[in-house]
Amino acid sequence: MAEELTARAPSLNGGPRIGVYVCHCGLNIAGTVDVQAVVEFARTLPNVTVAREYRFMCSDPGQELIEQDLREGLVNRVVVASCSPLMHEATFRRATAEGGTSPYLFQMASIRELVSWVTADPEDATEKAKAHVAAAVRRVALHEYLEPREAPVHPDVLVVGGGIAGIHAALTLADAGKHVYLVERESTIGGHMAMFDKTFPTLDCAACILTPKMSAVRAHPNITLWTYSDVVEVSGYTGDFTVRVRHRPRYVREDLCTGCLACIDACVHKQGKVPDEFNLGLSKRKPVYIPFPQATPPVVVVDPESCIWFKTGKCPQTCVEACERDAFDFTQTETFDEVKVGAIILATGFRTFDPRRIPEYGYGRYPNVYTSLEVERLLNAAGPTAGEIVLRDGSRPTAIGIIHCVGSRDVRFHAYCSRVCCMYSLKLAHMLRERTGAEIYNFYIDIRAPGKGYEEFYDKILREGVHLIRGRVAEVTDEAATPEEEGHLVIRAEDTLLGMARRIPVDMVVLAVGLEPQPDTEDVRRLFNISCGGEGFFTERHPKLAPVSTFTDGVFLAGACQGPKDIPDTVAQAGAAAAEALAMIDRGAVALEANTAHIDEERCSGCKTCVGLCPFSAITFDEERQKARVNEVVCKGCGICVAACPSGAAQQHLFTDEQILAEIEGVLAYV
């Protein structure tokens, strides 16, 4: 194959003519590395016919240097010594292709990340840079001529997660004319935003913002909405994914149910008996239920764990009798759909930190200690108390303490800032004061209000008379030290501004819990073949240049599954993910990996070692020929099969043994 490709590449006739281009990168490289010395050194290397320097090689003039030398025949292979391949390999490959040759006759020497940024001594840095250049020159001399390849892209898109991120991404794509499959594990879309009463800093009604978008999803002709469903299998490759979706039984037919809720009223249980998940256990629901009035789709669900019919088979089924459309079907089982899509957007959201992990704050031990999300439900007009702040004992609070950074900015749990806690704590302070007239005490470490209108909202809270106490809370206790503390919860905290410890009696404590990854993030990561960072959130391809892409082409991220963020940032990222997916689909084709594996059949012993190791199922075994075969469309060039092959039959384009050994020799010869 390599011989055929070389024959089609007349620019390679006469052997390698290598151009070396060393970038100053402003002072990022030139501030430590003697760039001129590296260029002079490069001119002495075998097969190097051109060696140049430029302040910014990634700029248009810098790329033009490469293109011009290629067009004039001065060089037929290119080495750029600059930043990392992750940053600009694609840029310089394009420049090489614009010069009229294969973009894979290019090699990058990372003398910024691997040299100047990590080497303090200029002389050492310069010598290391020379070694990296020598390695790249030796390696690129052995590169084979490879043609870029493409594969068609399926026009449909899968969006996983029906919170505000998934909703916005799905609507954006659907409005652009693409068919979208929106999969949500819960029985309704809406996510956490559906649980909120108002949003900061404008105090807009969350339902007023969200409900129209939820309705638009259900009504959109280009969106197939699957709730109460999970993605269980993903196969294929970029542009042509095959996705298997499992639908859990509701025991109610979606095509017949109108959401009249007569069945709930008719249930044999006159009162709720099961803790209501949507209200976080603050109220109880019946075995047949709908999560909240604006649920989309407006279809009830039967809980088999609490329904008498499923437990005993002797229920009078008054719910069935009340349904005029005969929508109940207690024989439903799991069903599956398999669809093909070209791109996937993950918008699986977050969960809140469980404050039981901090026992000193008393959550689960003192009934009047609440999480921030529980208070959101108490404040909501559709919540368990119809918007009234009534404590579990039926009383109304006259003093409330709000503790910031619960689970965040704490090396015991999560060292990162959850970004939204300060602002939603201030929002809750405003709303609680407005609804109850209580004295509000906010205990904070630092107030972080970096968004549009956030600082102004902070000033508004100060003017309203909310007490802001800077210092970490030590504990919440019911042990009174004075008569004034009797019958109250007492917050013991440091006040760093006053330089003293304080004890403040309150009736209610609100824990501003942080955001953390979903509990099944690892399973989802494996399913879609993406990666997670140390904090557990999905990892983007590049934090600056590719914040919504992943290392699996065609899979994009949106919302808090990538890291904590507020609603505006979530919506913006969802739009960006939709735009990336749309751009890929509208191109009609995607570039395939060039560094794919291939099998030398003469050396293949048929041991099948590579078949089981391939994480992309790109290798099959030909039983008739007793040889392994690589589907280069599916192969992602990870190299696992190449490293594991005992006979050396598995090889990889751009990573042959000869190329790697030449690169190593180049480093060792000049260190």
Side-chain angles (χ1 to χ4, degrees):
M1 180 178 179
E3 289 79 4
E4 294 175 6
L5 291 169
T6 303
R8 293 164 55 194
S11 64
L12 301 188
N13 293 340
R17 297 188 299 280
I18 302 171
V20 177
Y21 304 86
V22 185
C23 181
H24 289 242
C25 197
L27 293 177
N28 278 302
I29 293 173
T32 307
V33 174
D34 186 341
V35 171
Q36 185 59 44
V38 175
V39 172
E40 293 299 328
F41 167 78
R43 293 192 175 113
T44 68
L45 296 174
N47 300 313
V48 173
T49 56
V50 170
R52 304 185 191 279
E53 60 178 291
Y54 194 72
R55 189 171 297 277
F56 292 105
M57 280 302 304
C58 60
S59 66
D60 287 345
Q63 294 177 59
E64 181 59 31
L65 290 175
I66 298 172
E67 296 169 17
Q68 189 65 29
D69 288 346
L70 285 165
R71 292 192 195 102
E72 293 178 0
L74 300 178
V75 302
N76 57 25
R77 298 165 191 261
V78 174
V79 170
V80 176
S82 60
C83 53
S84 70
L86 180 63
M87 181 72 73
H88 275 306
E89 183 177 59
T91 301
F92 295 121
R93 277 184 173 177
R94 282 195 299 270
T96 304
E98 287 294 321
T101 189
S102 168
Y104 307 111
L105 295 175
F106 161 81
Q107 180 64 20
M108 202 162 184
S110 178
I111 64 170
R112 188 181 72 176
E113 280 82 346
L114 300 183
V115 179
S116 65
W117 279 0
V118 295
T119 309
D121 183 76
E123 290 186 9
D124 290 345
T126 301
E127 293 305 308
K128 286 174 67 176
K130 291 178 182 179
H132 280 280
V133 169
V137 166
R138 288 204 179 196
R139 188 190 207 284
V140 81
L142 299 176
H143 278 204
E144 57 189 317
Y145 187 96
L146 298 172
E147 291 281 2
R149 298 175 302 133
E150 293 185 334
V153 177
H154 197 285
D156 296 349
V157 182
L158 173 75
V159 176
V160 184
I164 185 59
I167 288 171
H168 186 77
L171 286 173
T172 301
L173 288 160
D175 287 343
K178 309 305 175 187
H179 190 84
V180 180
Y181 297 94
L182 176 56
V183 179
E184 167 58 47
R185 73 172 75 186
E186 301 297 338
S187 62
T188 174
I189 58 175
H192 283 96
M193 188 175 173
M195 306 173 79
F196 302 158
D197 185 52
K198 294 183 179 179
T199 61
F200 61 80
T202 55
L203 299 177
D204 290 317
C205 169
C208 300
I209 301 170
L210 182 65
T211 303
K213 295 179 78 72
M214 293 167 61
S215 300
V217 165
R218 182 167 180 258
H220 207 296
N222 288 337
I223 297 178
T224 297
L225 175 60
W226 285 331
T227 56
Y228 226 45
S229 303
D230 313 275
V231 176
V232 295
E233 186 179 342
V234 180
S235 58
Y237 51 90
T238 305
D240 190 18
F241 295 105
T242 300
V243 181
R244 186 172 170 83
V245 179
R246 176 184 63 195
H247 310 289
R248 286 171 282 141
R250 288 175 178 266
Y251 306 107
V252 175
R253 289 181 55 180
E254 286 191 47
D255 59 332
L256 294 178
C257 180
T258 61
C260 69
L261 310 186
C263 55
I264 298 177
D265 294 333
C267 177
V268 295
H269 295 283
K270 298 306 178 185
Q271 301 294 330
K273 60 171 293 187
V274 182
D276 188 339
E277 299 87 349
F278 190 77
N279 282 329
L280 305 173
L282 295 173
S283 62
K284 294 188 176 182
R285 60 165 174 80
K286 296 181 180 183
V288 57
Y289 68 98
I290 193 166
F292 59 99
Q294 300 85 13
T296 302
V299 179
V300 298
V301 184
V302 177
D303 176 9
E305 298 297 321
S306 57
C307 177
I308 296 176
W309 175 258
F310 286 97
K311 295 172 71 174
T312 67
K314 297 179 181 179
C315 177
Q317 295 191 338
T318 51
C319 55
V320 176
E321 295 174 4
C323 182
E324 296 181 356
R325 295 179 59 85
D326 196 24
F328 282 86
D329 181 2
F330 291 113
T331 65
Q332 279 187 354
T333 58
E334 289 183 349
T335 60
F336 295 85
D337 271 299
E338 193 169 276
V339 296
K340 283 190 172 294
V341 297
I344 297 170
I345 295 177
L346 297 181
T348 53
F350 65 92
R351 69 171 175 180
T352 54
F353 176 81
D354 183 358
R356 291 181 182 86
R357 297 166 64 187
I358 309 180
E360 57 266 32
Y361 287 171
Y363 183 76
R365 185 155 48 97
Y366 302 131
N368 291 338
V369 178
Y370 295 79
T371 68
S372 48
L373 205 52
E374 289 172 342
V375 175
E376 290 278 2
R377 296 309 302 151
L378 292 177
L379 288 165
N380 197 295
T385 58
E388 295 293 324
I389 304 302
V390 180
L391 301 180
R392 289 186 172 94
D393 60 5
S395 64
R396 297 175 184 269
T398 59
I400 302 172
I402 302 175
I403 303 175
H404 293 216
C405 299
V406 177
S408 297
R409 300 186 65 192
D410 189 330
V411 294
R412 298 174 299 168
F413 307 107
H414 302 305
Y416 60 81
C417 170
S418 288
R419 294 186 61 185
V420 297
C421 311
C422 282
M423 291 305 300
Y424 81 59
S425 295
L426 295 177
K427 178 194 74 173
L428 293 178
H430 165 80
M431 295 174 66
L432 288 169
R433 185 166 178 81
E434 182 180 62
R435 300 280 179 90
T436 67
E439 289 294 319
I440 310 294
Y441 300 88
N442 276 52
F443 298 86
Y444 70 97
I445 302 174
D446 298 293
I447 292 292
R448 295 184 171 179
K452 184 177 182 180
Y454 289 8
E455 187 69 21
E456 292 83 352
F457 188 77
Y458 167 69
D459 292 335
K460 169 184 171 68
I461 300 304
L462 287 178
R463 292 193 300 271
E464 290 177 350
V466 171
H467 304 283
L468 293 173
I469 300 171
R470 187 178 186 275
R472 191 180 290 275
V473 172
E475 71 168 341
V476 176
T477 180
D478 62 354
E479 296 179 3
T482 65
E484 292 77 14
E485 295 177 356
E486 291 288 346
H488 298 280
L489 294 172
V490 178
I491 298 177
R492 293 180 57 244
E494 177 187 22
D495 189 329
T496 61
L497 298 180
L498 294 180
M500 61 181 291
R502 298 180 65 178
R503 294 175 60 94
I504 298 179
V506 296
D507 303 311
M508 178 185 191
V509 174
V510 181
L511 303 179
V513 289
L515 278 53
E516 61 183 19
Q518 292 278 18
D520 62 346
T521 297
E522 274 296 314
D523 296 332
V524 176
R525 177 192 70 77
R526 294 189 185 95
L527 185 64
F528 292 96
N529 194 38
I530 61 174
S531 57
C532 292
E535 297 156 351
F537 294 101
F538 297 141
T539 302
E540 65 282 359
R541 181 181 287 270
H542 191 280
K544 301 291 191 299
L545 302 180
V548 300
S549 301
T550 68
F551 287 99
T552 296
D553 292 337
V555 179
F556 305 97
L557 305 176
C561 65
Q562 184 256 342
K565 54 181 61 71
D566 60 12
I567 293 170
D569 287 348
T570 294
V571 171
Q573 191 179 30
E580 292 282 358
L582 190 62
M584 189 183 82
I585 291 169
D586 281 351
R587 281 196 302 268
V590 291
L592 298 176
E593 296 285 349
N595 57 326
T596 52
H598 57 97
I599 304 292
D600 182 347
E601 291 195 358
E602 292 184 1
R603 300 172 68 179
C604 179
S605 64
C607 68
K608 302 183 182 179
T609 299
C610 57
V611 176
L613 288 175
C614 180
F616 304 99
S617 302
I619 305 178
T620 56
F621 190 73
D622 187 330
E623 294 291 348
E624 183 179 340
R625 298 170 58 85
Q626 290 292 295
K627 304 291 183 182
R629 307 184 74 174
V630 176
N631 182 343
E632 294 193 35
V633 175
V634 180
C635 177
K636 292 296 182 183
C638 68
I640 292 175
C641 59
V642 180
C645 180
S647 64
Q651 290 295 315
Q652 185 175 357
H653 298 301
L654 299 181
F655 286 91
T656 64
D657 293 345
E658 293 79 6
Q659 291 165 356
I660 299 300
L661 290 173
E663 189 171 12
I664 294 172
E665 289 169 359
V667 170
L668 296 179
Y670 296 98
V671 294

